[in-house]
Amino acid sequence: TESDFMCANQSYGFMFFFVVLRYAHGDLSYSVQEELKRGSVIGNIAKDLGLDVGRLSARKARIDLDGGDRQFCGINLRSGELFVAERIDREEHCADKPSCVLKFDLLLENPLELHRVSLQVQDINDNSPAFPKDVIKLDIRESAVKGARYRINAAQDADIGKNSVESYTLQDNAHFVFNIQTTSAGSKYVELVLEKELDREEQQEMKLLLTAVDGGSPHRSGTVVIHVIVLDANDNAPVFTESVYTAKLPENSPLKAVVIVVSASDADEGLNGDVTYEFSRLSDKSQKLFSLDQKTGEIIVNGAIDYEEGSRYEVIVEAKDGYGLSSEAKVIIDITDVNDNAPVIYLKSLTNPTPESVSPGTEVGIINVQDRDSENNKQVRCSIQQGVPFKLVPSIKNYYSLVTTEQLDRERVSDYNITITATDEGSPPLSSSKTVQLSVADINDNPPVFEEQSYSAYVTENNKPGSTLCSVTARDPDWRQNGTVIYSLLPGEVNGAPVSSYLSVNGDTGMIHAVRSFDYEQFRSFKVHVMARDNGSPPLSSNVTVSVFVSDVNDNSPQILYPTPEGNSFMTELVPKAAHGGSLVSKVIAVDADSGQNAWLSYQIVKSTDPGLFTIGLHSGEIRTQRDISESDNMKQNLIVSVKDNGQPPLSATCAMYLLISDNLAEVPELKDISYDEKNSKLTSYLIIALVSVSTIFLTFIIIVMGVRFCRRRKPRLLFDGAVAIPSAYLPPNYADVDGTGTLRSTYNYDAYLTTGSRTSDFKFVSSYNDNTLPADQTLKKSLTDFSEAFGDCDSSPEVGTVALLQVANYVF
């Protein structure tokens, strides 16, 4: 497509134009005049490529110049216009080439797209013609004939085409005219033609002004003064051995190295044949690189030769004899490339940080590799270090895409230093490296993980509310809020109450605190569930079980079940007078609501009527005689027993045990004289009333017993004669040891029997009361018939029955 021309006025009054030449196969070509002001519009890339202007910024459109870092053009991302970013000088880039084309890369990302942009730089008439020297000195012998020609170096104009030198004007004079000639090498020069012979005696010298005019509009011109000195005759000019010399020079050649030697000869003799050499036309760049030996004709390296700065140089060497006759020869110097430039790696784009959730094969960066050398020295291979999940994928021209090869994991590696190496194919090869730092962005892909699979907390009962039980810790390897852990209790119940009424957890530290005081006798352990949740979106969580174990403290005193504690009833045991030492006469039964060593009970008689008569088992509570009972022993024996647990500090309880040394009921009236402590003074009256009541029913009981004896023969006695029963009602049903470490199990309550007719009587535990054990408050509701059934199978004497009834009376009261 062709775009409209655009003009801009410059300080020197010229008009400049630019035009879009064509767009084909994804390439663009524009034409622009040199020296346009910065910001001048060249064309509209978005329109020419059919791109949406709004997508240019999103796709990071940009211009890269081949082989250089200068940006001569830019893109207006809002309008899509290509504009001049820096001064463009055609002579700087293309010298005297007839066509000057600058090549750019238009790069678009997401997806990667590359377009070649060619910028045809049009010449303007910004350079005036210039002669090599301000004054040209000509020594002409007066013997010169009419028509003699004297060569004058042509003026040089950096512009090309019609803007270069077009014509010459010589100042009017009587002797010379000029003529323009072209050499076999194609260069032009001016010949000064002698039209009228010189006469040294008439005029020894003259100065002529030669003006060179270019064809630009407006015209530009340059002048030189031709100083003619009239000499004696010198009719031979120097002649070069070759009209064009060629030489090859490797770049980086050392200083003072000889490039080539030019040679010219003169047929004249003496001073007229003495030839000297000098550069006739030499560009500023060549003047810095080369020098010429005036005597020998050697062209010598005078500066740093760089192929990338220039691959060919053309110089004109003039040979002049002693009297001004001269000739020229062209020297062409071709610079050969040496692999002296390592590849350069440019990072064009990088997605940093890259989310760890990107899938393998995702493009995360774009690099570009440039090598200023030529041919094989310019061919580059790129590689990436081993051990990183990335690879380079060749893309367009010398562009590579950096893509992932596997799933990234920030918790494993959070930052990568990716080293990219570029190596050319020169000999020897050169290489360079660039390290790209890439960070991995976190996503919430890890739930909190507790350090332990379960936790156990141990707390003693009667703890203070708010005390710390234990601490749970969960780790989340994610970053920032994704790795921030918050703790909470999951809803639940403990003994029918919400778990929050028992425990609380610090949401930040995971410290678990008791909300209330615990009682070991109510519950010994329970479980709660703690949740650890992160602050990600969406949040992730995990749970852990915390088992709380309540340990016992000695906060319960022993409770005496038998004999009944003072104030409840009147308890009396009968001891046969014939009892031997070691006979079991009674048993103190006590329990402790605590557990373990806090429930280990020990028994001790702290006070007795006769300290040497009875002893008690330290751990069994069995009261036995220490010796045989004698007639001198007091019939009334009062024992004070202390029951102590093994806690720290120990707790204790005491009870009173009343024993009567008697063999039959005939001695029972003596009970009226029994005196106990002041607290038991009323028991005598109660005993008399009980004896009267028992006597009333005694005959009925004898009849029943005799009837049973006649109805059946003698049966094995399950109980010892004269046994005294300790009803299970004395065992409170709530004294149950869950784990069997207490003093009594809930499924076993016992009756105790004491014999009065056997000298070797023992304390026996026989029947268990699993189902029909009465509570303590229902014990006194049993009738005498119920008690009599307990003795129904006993074939003891009436005296034994009397004693048994006396025992029953004791229980009733």
Side-chain angles (χ1 to χ4, degrees):
T1 59
E2 294 289 330
S3 66
D4 297 332
F5 284 96
M6 178 179 181
C7 63
N9 291 326
Q10 304 293 326
S11 60
Y12 36 76
F14 291 115
M15 303 295 290
F16 303 102
F17 299 89
F18 62 88
V19 61
V20 178
L21 296 181
R22 66 182 181 280
Y23 165 55
H25 306 294
D27 293 343
L28 296 174
S29 293
Y30 296 90
S31 178
V32 62
Q33 292 181 347
E34 65 175 331
E35 304 293 344
L36 281 181
K37 293 181 179 179
R38 288 185 176 90
S40 299
V41 177
I42 299 173
N44 194 304
I45 285 182
K47 179 180 178 181
D48 296 334
L49 290 177
L51 297 175
D52 183 7
V53 176
R55 291 288 296 162
L56 291 179
S57 179
R59 295 187 65 183
K60 301 179 182 179
R62 57 184 177 271
I63 290 292
D64 285 342
L65 177 64
D66 282 355
D69 297 328
R70 297 178 62 185
Q71 294 291 334
F72 295 100
C73 297
I75 300 177
N76 188 328
L77 298 180
R78 292 192 298 268
S79 63
E81 293 178 338
L82 182 69
F83 62 90
V84 176
E86 289 187 28
R87 172 178 174 265
I88 300 176
D89 185 0
R90 191 202 66 82
E91 288 73 27
E92 176 185 355
H93 298 291
C94 302
D96 58 350
K97 294 181 180 178
S99 175
C100 185
V101 178
L102 299 181
K103 293 186 180 295
F104 303 87
D105 285 338
L106 171 61
L107 184 65
L108 301 172
E109 296 184 14
N110 297 322
L112 182 62
E113 186 176 347
L114 185 68
H115 296 274
R116 293 290 290 177
V117 179
S118 298
L119 189 63
Q120 182 78 37
V121 182
Q122 300 293 335
D123 183 49
I124 64 172
N125 192 25
D126 59 339
N127 292 282
S128 299
F131 289 92
K133 298 179 180 180
D134 293 333
V135 177
I136 299 175
K137 185 177 180 182
L138 290 179
D139 294 330
I140 303 176
R141 289 195 175 274
E142 61 180 354
S143 59
V145 296
K146 183 180 179 180
R149 298 174 180 272
Y150 303 95
R151 183 171 178 169
I152 303 297
N153 290 330
Q156 299 296 315
D157 195 329
D159 298 324
I160 61 173
K162 67 178 182 179
N163 294 325
S164 63
V165 177
E166 186 177 72
S167 61
Y168 291 86
T169 302
L170 182 64
Q171 178 184 356
D172 290 338
N173 64 92
H175 298 279
F176 297 94
V177 295
F178 75 94
N179 188 20
I180 299 175
Q181 299 291 336
T182 302
T183 65
S184 60
S187 61
K188 293 184 178 181
Y189 63 93
V190 176
E191 285 185 338
L192 197 62
V193 181
L194 183 62
E195 192 175 51
K196 181 181 179 182
E197 289 83 0
L198 297 174
D199 186 358
R200 182 176 178 278
E201 287 70 28
E202 180 181 355
Q203 188 177 8
Q204 295 183 357
E205 63 181 38
M206 64 183 68
K207 294 182 179 180
L208 305 176
L209 184 63
L210 179 63
T211 303
V213 181
D214 61 25
S217 177
H219 298 293
R220 285 176 173 267
S221 62
T223 60
V224 64
V225 174
I226 302 175
H227 186 190
V228 179
I229 300 175
V230 181
L231 302 175
D232 288 340
N234 179 25
D235 54 353
N236 289 290
V239 177
F240 282 96
T241 57
E242 298 181 21
S243 59
V244 178
Y245 292 87
T246 60
K248 291 186 179 294
L249 178 67
E251 66 173 326
N252 302 327
S253 294
L255 297 178
K256 304 303 180 181
V258 177
V259 179
I260 196 173
V261 178
V262 296
S263 177
S265 60
D266 194 315
D268 295 327
E269 293 181 356
L271 185 61
N272 294 331
D274 188 6
V275 178
T276 59
Y277 304 92
E278 63 181 25
F279 286 123
S280 174
R281 293 190 297 275
L282 193 65
S283 66
D284 293 339
K285 183 181 292 186
S286 298
Q287 188 174 0
K288 296 177 181 179
L289 298 179
F290 305 104
S291 63
L292 178 63
D293 190 311
Q294 294 183 346
K295 298 296 184 182
T296 64
E298 293 179 343
I299 298 178
I300 301 171
V301 175
N302 197 39
I305 306 298
D306 189 354
Y307 175 86
E308 288 69 41
E309 294 293 331
S311 60
R312 168 175 283 200
Y313 297 93
E314 294 184 3
V315 297
I316 303 299
V317 178
E318 180 181 17
K320 182 185 297 185
D321 61 20
Y323 290 99
L325 294 182
S326 64
S327 61
E328 289 183 350
K330 178 185 287 188
V331 179
I332 300 175
I333 303 173
D334 290 319
I335 308 299
T336 58
D337 184 39
V338 174
N339 191 28
D340 60 342
N341 291 281
V344 181
I345 302 172
Y346 299 96
L347 181 62
K348 295 298 184 180
S349 176
L350 182 65
T351 304
N352 194 15
T354 297
E356 61 178 327
S357 58
V358 297
S359 58
T362 301
E363 180 182 272
V364 297
I366 298 174
I367 66 166
N368 176 250
V369 182
Q370 300 283 348
D371 193 314
R372 298 180 63 192
D373 295 320
S374 63
E375 298 180 355
N376 288 341
N377 296 333
K378 190 176 183 179
Q379 301 302 314
V380 179
R381 302 185 310 274
C382 282
S383 61
I384 195 170
Q385 71 187 77
Q386 299 294 324
V388 293
F390 302 95
K391 66 177 181 179
L392 288 177
V393 177
S395 185
I396 303 171
K397 198 181 176 183
N398 50 355
Y399 286 87
Y400 294 83
S401 296
L402 182 63
V403 301
T404 60
T405 58
E406 60 185 59
Q407 189 72 44
L408 302 180
D409 186 356
R410 191 204 66 85
E411 289 69 43
R412 184 169 58 89
V413 181
S414 60
D415 294 281
Y416 289 95
N417 288 327
I418 307 168
T419 301
I420 300 171
T421 302
T423 305
D424 61 29
E425 294 185 359
S427 180
L430 299 179
S431 63
S432 62
S433 299
K434 186 177 185 66
T435 299
V436 178
Q437 295 182 342
L438 181 66
S439 298
V440 181
D442 183 51
I443 64 170
N444 192 27
D445 58 344
N446 290 281
V449 177
F450 285 95
E451 291 183 345
E452 299 182 18
Q453 294 183 351
S454 63
Y455 290 84
S456 298
Y458 299 89
V459 58
T460 57
E461 63 175 329
N462 304 327
N463 60 292
K464 292 183 179 180
S467 59
T468 300
L469 301 186
C470 69
S471 175
V472 297
T473 303
R475 306 293 183 187
D476 193 321
D478 292 322
W479 194 46
R480 289 188 176 175
Q481 67 177 16
N482 293 334
T484 301
V485 179
I486 300 174
Y487 304 92
S488 61
L489 288 175
L490 291 178
E493 291 186 354
V494 176
N495 287 350
V499 67
S500 59
S501 64
Y502 287 87
L503 300 176
S504 67
V505 61
N506 188 306
D508 296 326
T509 64
M511 297 293 294
I512 297 178
H513 305 275
V515 175
R516 62 166 67 175
S517 179
F518 301 141
D519 187 357
Y520 177 83
E521 286 69 46
Q522 288 185 359
F523 54 85
R524 301 184 181 183
S525 65
F526 60 92
K527 293 182 179 181
V528 298
H529 298 283
V530 178
M531 179 180 71
R533 175 181 59 83
D534 60 30
N535 257 342
S537 179
L540 301 178
S541 63
S542 61
N543 303 333
V544 72
T545 299
V546 179
S547 300
V548 180
F549 298 94
V550 182
S551 59
D552 183 46
V553 297
N554 193 28
D555 59 346
N556 291 281
S557 301
Q559 183 174 349
I560 300 175
L561 304 181
Y562 182 84
T564 305
E566 296 183 25
N568 292 339
S569 63
F570 180 71
M571 305 298 295
T572 304
E573 298 283 355
L574 295 181
V575 180
K577 291 181 179 180
H580 290 288
S583 297
L584 178 64
V585 296
S586 185
K587 179 178 176 69
V588 176
I589 300 176
V591 293
D592 195 313
D594 295 320
S595 66
Q597 68 177 10
N598 295 329
W600 297 349
L601 302 180
S602 59
Y603 302 84
Q604 183 181 6
I605 298 175
V606 297
K607 183 179 181 181
S608 64
T609 302
D610 187 350
L613 182 57
F614 298 100
T615 184
I616 189 168
L618 180 62
H619 298 295
S620 64
E622 296 178 345
I623 300 175
R624 296 179 181 271
T625 58
Q626 293 192 79
R627 57 178 173 81
D628 295 343
I629 296 176
S630 65
E631 295 294 335
S632 62
D633 290 331
N634 193 339
M635 180 181 180
K636 300 169 291 182
Q637 295 290 330
N638 183 10
L639 304 179
I640 304 299
V641 178
S642 173
V643 183
K644 182 172 63 174
D645 61 28
N646 198 37
Q648 292 295 330
L651 301 177
S652 64
T654 60
C655 66
M657 177 70 73
Y658 306 105
L659 303 176
L660 292 177
I661 301 175
S662 175
D663 287 332
N664 52 60
L665 292 177
E667 300 175 356
V668 171
E670 296 179 5
L671 293 175
K672 64 181 183 293
D673 297 328
I674 298 176
S675 177
Y676 300 101
D677 296 339
E678 294 179 359
K679 296 181 181 180
N680 299 323
S681 62
K682 295 181 180 181
L683 292 179
T684 303
S685 298
Y686 296 150
L687 182 59
I688 294 174
I689 295 173
L691 291 176
V692 171
S693 300
V694 171
S695 298
T696 304
I697 65 173
F698 177 69
L699 291 176
T700 304
F701 180 77
I702 293 299
I703 295 172
I704 293 174
V705 172
M706 295 303 292
V708 173
R709 290 174 60 86
F710 283 107
C711 290
R712 59 185 180 179
R713 293 189 176 185
R714 186 183 185 93
K715 295 181 180 179
R717 288 178 292 179
L718 297 175
L719 307 175
F720 288 98
D721 295 338
V724 178
I726 301 175
S728 63
Y730 288 101
L731 301 176
N734 61 339
Y735 275 78
D737 194 337
V738 176
D739 54 5
T741 61
T743 56
L744 291 176
R745 290 185 179 272
S746 61
T747 56
Y748 293 97
N749 298 326
Y750 302 96
D751 285 343
Y753 298 88
L754 297 176
T755 65
T756 57
S758 174
R759 301 175 66 87
T760 59
S761 61
D762 292 326
F763 194 80
K764 299 284 186 176
F765 296 91
V766 286
S767 65
S768 64
Y769 292 81
N770 293 331
D771 300 324
N772 55 2
T773 301
L774 294 177
D777 58 354
Q778 297 180 10
T779 302
L780 298 179
K781 295 180 182 179
K782 287 193 174 184
S783 64
L784 291 176
T785 305
D786 296 330
F787 286 106
S788 65
E789 291 176 0
F791 301 94
D793 294 336
C794 299
D795 53 359
S796 61
S797 65
E799 295 178 348
V800 175
T802 302
V803 175
L805 288 176
L806 181 59
Q807 301 291 341
V808 173
N810 289 336
Y811 290 116
V812 173
F813 288 96

